[in-house]
Amino acid sequence: MGIAHRVVSVLVLPVFCVSFAHGQSQTKSEGALEGIASGKTRIIDLSYAINDKLVAWPGDPRVFEATVNGTVEKDGYFTRSFWMLEHYGTHLDAPAHFPPGKSTVEKIAPEKFFGPAVVLDVRPESEKDADYQLSPAVIEAWEKRNGKIPVGAIVLLRTGWASRWPDVQRYRNTDAKGEMHFPGFSVEAAKMLLERKISGLGCDTLSIDPGNSKDFPVHRLVLGAEVYQLENLRDLSSLPEIGASLVVAPIKLEGGSGGAVRVFALVSQ
């Protein structure tokens, strides 16, 4: 009787522990979803829909094509094939985009696609100077207000340039000599952000380097540190400078130097 009782106790306890752990996990998962379903968490889509009318980098005559392969009327289903540039519309630059030997899209660690959003607002500076480069002083001021930028953050530069989309001339802001003028990160600011061990950099312009850049030093620095970039993000005006979370979902393109990406911000109401 005593031996049998001890055996039962040993067998039941692990089952109870597993059930309890499963219940805890289920509760946490349901809690995370509840904020979205109940409207307590607002989701902001920071990506442009892909079509053939988006602002492309100068010199790319062929950017996007879609062909209908099947229609409901004729084939009983609707399907298309499409072709597009890797760096077009709202897209991700993988580390391999510039430095050789760095990660292509499918090799970026998935945990880097989730993180707190750090929004650096430089709209007043960008309005006064189209060639503005982010100053380290802006980062220092942000940290004075909010604390140090957390490890794994995804840092977004809010220039207000998205208000010019999709007007090609205004968005590229090309002068008579063919040189573009739009704001971006400075090398000094990028170095400071890399010291914070961020996961990604993003902007609401064509490039994280300013438009008049000739050799893309920020690209080389950031991608060389295995940090990805997000370019042509939609209007960032509704994001708080701290408190939002980002979900970055690029196309998992094997060997890709970059690719189309869907970026979502989750903001608690």
Side-chain angles (χ1 to χ4, degrees), residues 7-241:
V7 171
V8 170
S9 297
V10 170
L11 291 176
V12 170
L13 184 58
V15 174
F16 172 77
C17 292
V18 170
S19 300
F20 179 72
H22 175 70
Q24 279 193 318
S25 174
Q26 194 172 36
T27 301
K28 288 180 181 178
S29 180
E30 288 171 352
L33 295 175
E34 184 182 357
I36 297 174
S38 66
K40 294 178 181 178
T41 300
R42 182 164 52 107
I43 300 179
I44 303 172
D45 188 346
L46 300 178
S47 310
Y48 293 110
I50 302 169
N51 55 51
D52 60 355
K53 299 176 178 61
L54 305 184
V55 182
W57 192 262
D60 290 325
R62 183 175 175 231
V63 292
F64 175 83
E65 295 174 4
T67 303
V68 174
N69 294 332
T71 65
V72 174
E73 295 77 11
K74 181 181 177 181
D75 306 290
Y77 56 84
F78 172 55
T79 180
R80 303 190 307 171
S81 60
F82 71 91
W83 177 96
M84 68 180 294
L85 293 168
E86 289 183 334
H87 301 268
Y88 179 62
T90 305
H91 66 274
L92 176 144
D93 288 357
H97 182 35
F98 269 67
K102 299 297 180 179
S103 299
T104 48
V105 174
E106 85 284 7
K107 293 181 179 177
I108 299 173
E111 57 268 22
K112 292 187 176 182
F113 295 135
F114 304 83
V118 167
V119 180
L120 302 175
D121 193 344
V122 295
R123 286 174 292 184
E125 295 88 340
S126 300
E127 188 174 350
K128 294 176 184 176
D129 180 10
D131 297 322
Y132 172 78
Q133 296 184 38
L134 176 66
S135 166
V138 173
I139 301 172
E140 292 169 353
W142 189 97
E143 292 189 324
K144 188 174 181 180
R145 292 190 303 272
N146 303 297
K148 192 170 183 179
I149 292 174
V151 173
I154 303 169
V155 180
L156 307 181
L157 188 65
R158 180 163 59 198
T159 70
W161 222 250
S163 64
R164 298 170 176 244
W165 185 278
D167 187 318
V168 176
Q169 177 54 43
R170 294 187 65 238
Y171 194 71
R172 289 179 180 168
N173 199 25
T174 307
D175 62 22
K177 297 180 180 179
E179 186 173 85
M180 294 186 292
H181 298 275
F182 53 77
F185 290 85
S186 68
V187 170
E188 294 74 23
K191 286 180 179 178
M192 182 180 291
L193 293 170
L194 290 176
E195 290 172 358
R196 304 313 191 253
K197 301 187 185 305
I198 62 173
S199 288
L201 281 187
C203 60
D204 55 2
T205 63
L206 266 172
S207 169
I208 66 165
D209 277 286
N212 60 0
S213 175
K214 299 295 190 298
D215 53 358
F216 309 102
V218 180
H219 273 75
R220 298 178 190 281
L221 173 67
V222 172
L223 298 175
E226 286 285 352
V227 172
Y228 64 79
Q229 302 167 174
L230 304 170
E231 295 172 331
N232 293 321
L233 291 170
R234 283 181 65 193
D235 185 13
L236 303 174
S237 62
S238 58
L239 289 185
E241 68 174 17

